[in-house]
Amino acid sequence: MIVGVPRESFPGERRVALVPAVIPNLSKAGLEVVVEAGAGAAAGYPDGDYIAKGAKIVSDRAEVFRAADIVVQILCYGSNDKTGKADVPLFRSGQVLIGFLRPLGSIETIREIAAKGVTSFSVELMPRTTRAQSMDVLSSMGTICGYKAVVLAADTSPRVFPMLTTAGGTITPARVFVIGAGVAGLQAIATARRLGAVASAYDLRPAAKEQVQSLGGRFVELPIEAKDAEDARGYARAQDESFYKRQRELLGKVVAESDVVITAAVIPGKKPPILVTKEMVASMAPGSVIVDLAGERGGNCELTRPGEIAVEHEVTIIGWFNLASTVPYHASQMYARNVTAFLLHLVKGGKLQFDTDDEIIRETMLTRGGEVVNARVREFFSLQPLPAEVKEVAKS
Ligand SMILES: NC(=O)c1ccc[n+]([C@@H]2O[C@H](COP(=O)([O-])OP(=O)(O)OC[C@H]3O[C@@H](n4cnc5c(N)ncnc54)[C@H](O)[C@@H]3O)[C@@H](O)[C@H]2O)c1
């Protein structure tokens, strides 16, 4: 069985889906790896390192798709809305595709993938369970994004982060406030603390309080309670506009007193709520920094310019996306380990197993046999549930 790794084609993307170090593990399971020439170069993994671990390098992208029983990408068609479409003619029926497919994005795009007869697995749909932890790409990339957000903020801020007692007097520590304490937010708190800042955070999920505190952050409590804050998967539930309005009012004072605000408050499949208004930005001290990790989907800050850096009221607002790609060596390593764990789960005894009684397979499988087979995605797009016989085909 051959696993193909095409070079990532999204503009500016520097990661690669598999790194040389995982190849021996795949070989042991009977999987051969074919890599497009130069695929790992921008992440610090030259072709020679892949060859040394037993992979084959192929210069023609189409040949990688032709040879592969399983194609592994990071931003494949779905999340790659710039250049991903060019890969669609290269997919072949019965082939497996693994990557970020943006399953709650565009149903037309998912149907295009389905129509090619590809069995696709969307890494965003991985259950957040202990069993699937080693395959949890969202956590891996969230960790990198949270770290990088703080590094960017520290580099942009005119202040130092730690408290320093110097010949020039005592410097007070920077105050970093994180809104949305999921994986990225928690890593932002940990990184800000390591740099010596005073870190605080807010999240509408009550469970986040203990996690923030365990990292040495202060949990900001607001006198409002979200309705059904958390769904069964642990994700926050969208709230109504009156809730967000009240949140903004209550967050105003904390934002005004912060040197750095990092926003990472998202709800799967929804536009992120605006939690930092232009008035709140104006209330911050000159030189303050906002890093909006929700920038890709519009942002949590009203003045974020998605993909860009904006300076408004002397506050720098960083709305870059795809921060994980700016730390490509480790982001690729983590992605590769997660995907390898998934591949070893999917391929048993040298054969692909599509056992949809298995939660990991069932929840991540997006398309099979020409259909969009994922129940959560079908429900999200208000499609009829699949008839039982199609479900049986998906299993086989
Ligand atoms: N293996 C595991 O068990 C495992 C691994 C990783 C994550 N998780 C859980 O999965 C869930 C999702 O984590 P994630 O990092 O993907 O989250 P996410 O990226 O979907 O969301 C980021 C954070 O924003 C918060 N948020 C949303 N709207 C908000 C608002 N209006 N105000 C304040 N905060 C708001 C969410 O509660 C969440 O904590 C969490 O419960 C996390 O603990 C579990």
Side-chain angles (χ1 to χ4, degrees), residues 139-177:
S139 287
S140 295
M141 298 305 114
T143 299
I144 298 275
C145 291
Y147 160 83
K148 188 63 189 258
V150 174
V151 172
L152 276 177
D155 189 37
T156 308
S157 172
R159 298 167 163 270
V160 295
F161 272 25
M163 189 185 101
L164 295 177
T165 308
T166 75
T170 300
I171 291 172
T172 54
R175 285 154 303 183
V176 175
F177 179 44

Side-chain angles (χ1 to χ4, degrees), residues 56-67:
K56 191 172 155 200
I57 298 288
V58 168
S59 55
D60 179 15
R61 184 179 186 82
E63 180 53 31
V64 176
F65 280 87
R66 226 181 347 261

Side-chain angles (χ1 to χ4, degrees), residues 209-325:
K209 178 177 176 179
E210 216 179 285
Q211 293 160 352
V212 169
Q213 289 172 339
S214 73
L215 293 167
R218 183 174 69 87
F219 190 75
V220 173
E221 306 230 29
L222 301 185
I224 38 166
E225 212 175 294
K227 268 191 229 112
D228 295 329
E230 195 165 323
D231 70 14
R233 295 183 191 86
Y235 289 102
R237 261 191 238 277
Q239 305 292 314
D240 59 21
E241 189 43 40
S242 67
F243 179 86
Y244 293 138
K245 182 166 176 281
R246 186 83 183 108
Q247 267 193 318
R248 290 191 286 268
E249 286 162 13
L250 294 165
L251 286 171
K253 189 166 177 292
V254 195
V255 168
E257 288 168 354
S258 301
D259 303 305
V260 169
V261 172
I262 293 175
T263 59
V266 298
I267 310 273
K270 294 260 176 352
K271 198 176 172 323
I274 294 290
L275 299 175
V276 179
T277 60
K278 50 181 186 289
E279 291 78 18
M280 288 157 82
V281 175
S283 73
M284 295 177 81
S288 299
V289 181
I290 297 172
V291 182
D292 193 344
L293 287 177
E296 188 160 5
R297 289 196 263 147
N300 289 133
C301 172
E302 197 177 359
L303 296 178
T304 294
R305 282 196 223 126
E308 294 179 26
I309 295 184
V311 180
E312 302 273 359
H313 307 287
E314 295 177 72
V315 173
T316 304
I317 305 157
I318 302 177
W320 285 350
F321 350 120
N322 206 9
L323 281 192
S325 170

Side-chain angles (χ1 to χ4, degrees), residues 128-130 133 136 138-139 179-184 202-205 211 230 233-236 243-244 247 264-268 273 275:
R128 309 308 274 280
T129 58
T130 309
Q133 207 160 13
D136 187 354
L138 280 186
S139 287
I179 305 178
V183 178
Y202 163 73
D203 198 293
L204 52 66
R205 289 181 302 109
Q211 293 160 352
E230 195 165 323
R233 295 183 191 86
Y235 289 102
F243 179 86
Y244 293 138
Q247 267 193 318
V266 298
I267 310 273
L275 299 175

Side-chain angles (χ1 to χ4, degrees), residues 5-19 35 38-45 50 61 72-76 79-80 100 102 123 137-138 140-142 144-145 296 321-336 338:
V5 184
R7 197 158 43 82
E8 290 295 309
S9 67
F10 188 81
E13 177 59 62
R14 289 162 63 197
R15 291 169 294 175
V16 59
L18 289 185
V19 302
V35 181
Y45 303 99
Y50 286 95
R61 184 179 186 82
V72 181
Q73 294 181 281
I74 299 182
L75 302 183
C76 55
S79 62
N80 180 354
F100 278 99
R102 200 174 287 165
V123 293
V137 163
L138 280 186
S140 295
M141 298 305 114
I144 298 275
C145 291
E296 188 160 5
F321 350 120
N322 206 9
L323 281 192
S325 170
T326 67
V327 193
Y329 183 86
H330 280 127
S332 304
Q333 182 180 304
M334 293 164 88
Y335 188 90
N338 294 146

